[in-house]
C-alpha cells in the first residue's frame, strides 16, 4: 500500500488508516483483532482509536476504553509494525475502567490538564504500550484555557508518552490560537489534523483546511464515505440494504438520504470509471494536504476492497 510522509515527523504512513470506532460493537473483539491483523498484512500501518470509543451505537455517554483494549491486544507482539493515534477530550467513566484510580474523587472532563495527563496513562495501559505516536485533542473545550491544555501536552510529549500531537474537531480560529501559542513555546507544533471531510461535507475547505495547509499539518479525514452514503449502496427507489448504516443506525435514515447530492457523485464516479467507494477515497487522497483517510470497516473483505482502490 502507498505510504506518504507525515510532515514534521520521520514517519511514512499508509494512505488508509484503520479506524476502530466500530470495535466492540458491532465488530466483536475476536473479529476486530482479525481485522487488525488483516490490515497489517495489507500494508496498513496507521490505526486510529480514542479513549471514548465503544462502538458507534454507544458513542454518546460511553464509558470508553473498549476499542483501545481490543487494539492493544491485536497489536501485542506487532507494535513495531504500527503507528497508533488515540484521542482525549470527551468525558469518560470514573474508576479503573474510566482510567482513573479506584476510589478517586475525580470527575474531570474535556481538556483540563488533570484529565489529559490521567487519560494518556489510561490509554497507554489499555493499548499495552509505552507511548502513542499521535495524540489528538478530540473536541474543543470552552471551559479550559488553551494554555492549560498545551502545557499538559508539552509535559506528556517531554515524558515520552506521546511522540507527536494534533487535533480533530476544532474550528479555524481555535487552530490559529493553538499555533500561535506553540510558536511562542507552549508546546511542540501539532503535526496531524483529523476533521470530518468527504465529497459531501466540504464546509471546512474555507477555513480549517487552509490553516492546516499553511502550517504543514497533515490531514487525515474521518468519515471518508460519509457514514456509508458514498459507498454506492443508496439509490433512489431502493431500500437501504440489510447491514448498511441506514438499516442499523440513527446516523442515516431513509428520509435523510440526500439523493439529489448523491446522483451527481455517482455520475462523477462513473465518469472516472471506478466504484463509488473507491472514487470517494481517491477524491480525498487527491485533496491538498491529505495524507491518509480513516476508514471504519466491519470485515477484512471490506478493507480489502478499499485497499484495492489505492493500489
Amino acid at each position: 500500500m502507498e505510504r506518504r510522509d507525515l510532515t514534521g515527523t520521520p514517519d511514512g504512513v499508509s494512505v488508509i488508516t484503520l479506524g476502530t470506532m466500530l470495535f466492540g460493537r458491532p465488530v466483536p473483539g475476536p473479529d476486530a483483532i482479525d481485522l487488525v491483523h488483516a490490515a497489517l498484512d495489507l500494508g496498513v500501518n496507521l490505526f486510529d482509536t480514542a479513549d471514548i470509543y465503544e462502538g458507534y451505537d454507544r458513542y454518546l455517554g460511553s464509558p470508553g476504553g473498549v476499542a483501545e483494549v481490543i487494539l492493544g491486544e491485536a497489536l501485542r507482539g506487532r507494535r513495531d509494525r504500527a503507528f497508533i493515534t488515540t484521542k482525549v477530550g470527551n468525558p469518560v467513566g470514573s474508576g479503573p475502567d474510566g482510567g482513573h484510580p479506584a476510589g478517586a474523587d475525580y470527575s474531570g472532563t474535556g481538556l483540563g490538564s488533570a484529565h489529559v495527563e490521567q487519560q494518556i496513562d489510561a490509554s497507554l495501559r489499555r493499548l499495552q504500550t509505552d507511548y502513542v505516536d499521535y495524540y489528538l485533542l478530540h473536541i474543543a473545550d470552552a471551559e479550559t484555557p488553551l494554555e492549560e491544555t498545551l502545557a499538559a501536552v508539552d509535559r506528556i510529549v517531554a515524558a515520552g508518552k506521546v511522540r507527536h500531537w494534533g487535533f480533530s474537531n476544532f474550528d479555524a480560529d481555535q487552530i490559529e490560537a493553538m499555533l500561535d501559542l506553540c510558536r511562542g513555546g507552549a508546546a511542540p507544533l501539532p503535526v496531524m489534523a483529523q476533521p470530518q471531510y468527504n465529497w459531501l461535507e466540504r464546509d471546512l475547505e474555507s477555513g480549517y483546511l487552509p490553516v492546516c495547509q499553511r502550517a504543514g499539518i497533515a490531514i487525515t479525514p474521518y468519515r471518508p464515505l460519509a457514514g456509508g452514503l458514498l459507498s454506492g449502496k443508496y439509490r433512489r427507489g431502493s431500500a437501504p440494504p440489510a447491514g448498511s448504516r441506514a438499516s442499523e443506525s440513527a446516523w442515516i435514515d431513509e428520509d435523510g438520504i440526500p439523493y439529489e447530492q448523491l446522483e451527481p457523485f455517482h455520475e462523477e464516479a462513473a465518469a472516472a470509471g471506478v466504484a463509488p467507494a473507491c472514487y470517494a477515497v481517491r477524491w480525498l487522497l487527491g485533496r491538498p494536504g491529505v495524507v491518509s483517510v480513516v476508514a471504519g470497516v466491519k470485515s477484512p473483505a471490506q478493507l480489502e476492497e478499499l485497499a484495492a482502490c489505492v493500489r
Side-chain angles (χ1 to χ4, degrees), residues 287-298:
R287 309 306 287 176
V290 173
V291 170
S292 182
V293 297
V294 181
V297 297
K298 298 179 184 177

Side-chain angles (χ1 to χ4, degrees), residues 38-192:
L40 289 168
D41 291 342
L42 287 168
V44 173
N45 70 350
L46 183 55
F47 297 83
D48 178 80
T49 190
D51 59 6
I52 194 68
Y53 287 174
E54 193 196 10
Y56 70 81
D57 60 346
R58 292 283 302 279
Y59 183 70
L60 296 176
S62 167
V66 172
E68 287 183 326
V69 169
I70 295 170
L71 182 60
E73 183 64 24
L75 291 177
R76 188 167 59 176
R78 298 171 170 86
R79 178 67 177 91
D80 61 343
R81 298 174 60 188
F83 296 116
I84 296 175
T85 297
T86 193
K87 310 180 198 72
V88 66
N90 280 287
V92 294
S94 60
D97 291 338
H100 310 307
D105 182 14
Y106 181 75
S107 59
T109 61
L111 297 175
S113 58
H115 186 68
V116 171
E117 294 186 68
Q118 291 192 3
Q119 277 306 107
I120 185 57
D121 289 340
S123 289
L124 293 177
R125 287 196 299 272
R126 291 188 290 254
L127 288 164
Q128 301 184 44
T129 187
D130 296 327
Y131 68 94
V132 294
D133 299 282
Y134 315 110
Y135 200 45
L136 305 189
L137 308 182
H138 206 162
I139 56 173
D141 176 8
E143 304 301 317
T144 301
L146 284 173
E147 291 85 349
E148 178 182 338
T149 300
L150 293 181
V153 168
D154 190 50
R155 287 191 290 272
I156 61 179
V157 170
K161 298 175 182 181
V162 170
R163 291 180 59 232
H164 306 283
W165 73 282
F167 49 85
S168 185
N169 301 295
F170 284 69
D171 63 33
D173 288 342
Q174 292 164 335
I175 298 168
E176 291 274 28
M178 287 192 291
L179 290 170
D180 286 344
L181 289 168
C182 290
R183 290 172 182 133
L189 286 164
V191 303
M192 180 182 286

